[in-house]
């Protein structure tokens, strides 16, 4: 997929090996793996099919955001970065047509 980042600092934390290790420590390999998963997936449906990523939509005050697992409590959050967002006839997101995301943060939201 095509990836954009909410901020340059966030991009650096997630893409530069030295920064990934510094920021995430023991979870650095998992962060790198999730980033590889996102980059390699041709669309959102493929990413959702990767069991270890546990890609899922969020609800409540995070409606419109998605998450992938880094660890048991830590998540990488992103939004669909297409305008308009591809929808099916029933109004649900057409995950096969979603090819662009914007990573907005990483956090422990539990």
């Amino acid at each position: 997929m095509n990836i954009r980042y909410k901020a340059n600092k966030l991009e650096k934390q997630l893409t530069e090996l030295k920064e990934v290790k510094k920021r995430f420590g023991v979870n650095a390999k998992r962060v790198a793996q999730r980033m590889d998963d996102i980059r390699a997936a041709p669309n959102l449906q493929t990413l959702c099919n990767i069991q270890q990523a546990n890609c899922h939509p969020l609800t409540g005050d995070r409606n419109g955001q998605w998450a992938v697992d880094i660890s048991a409590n830590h998540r990488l959050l992103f939004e669909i970065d297409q305008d308009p967002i591809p929808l099916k006839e029933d109004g649900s997101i057409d995950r096969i047509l979603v090819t662009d995301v914007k990573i907005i943060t990483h956090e422990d939201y539990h």
Side-chain angles (χ1 to χ4, degrees):
M1 284 197 289
N2 301 311
I3 304 172
R4 285 192 327 125
Y5 300 85
K6 185 175 180 180
N8 290 337
K9 181 179 178 181
L10 177 63
E11 181 177 7
K12 194 174 184 179
Q13 288 176 342
L14 295 172
T15 59
E16 294 181 14
L17 184 58
K18 180 181 173 184
E19 292 296 319
V20 173
K21 288 180 179 180
K22 180 178 164 183
R23 175 67 182 96
F24 296 98
V26 297
N27 287 320
K29 285 184 180 181
R30 289 181 184 163
V31 170
Q33 182 60 55
R34 289 297 83 78
M35 292 301 299
D36 288 346
D37 292 342
I38 295 169
R39 275 191 289 274
N43 55 51
L44 184 58
Q45 183 61 51
T46 302
L47 183 61
C48 289
N49 290 338
I50 299 171
Q51 188 173 10
Q52 299 87 340
N54 187 30
C55 182
H56 57 281
L58 303 178
T59 58
D61 63 341
R62 294 195 181 273
N63 193 34
Q65 297 178 359
W66 292 69
V68 291
D69 290 358
I70 294 173
S71 67
N73 292 332
H74 208 98
R75 306 287 184 267
L76 187 61
L77 280 62
F78 65 91
E79 297 173 332
I80 295 171
D81 193 30
Q82 292 176 225
D83 187 23
I85 293 174
L87 300 176
K88 295 180 181 178
E89 286 185 21
D90 65 4
S92 64
I93 295 173
D94 192 341
R95 295 177 183 187
I96 292 174
L97 297 179
V98 174
T99 58
D100 299 89
V101 297
K102 180 167 80 174
I103 298 177
I104 54 175
T105 192
H106 52 82
E107 64 182 65
D108 179 350
Y109 61 81
H110 285 96

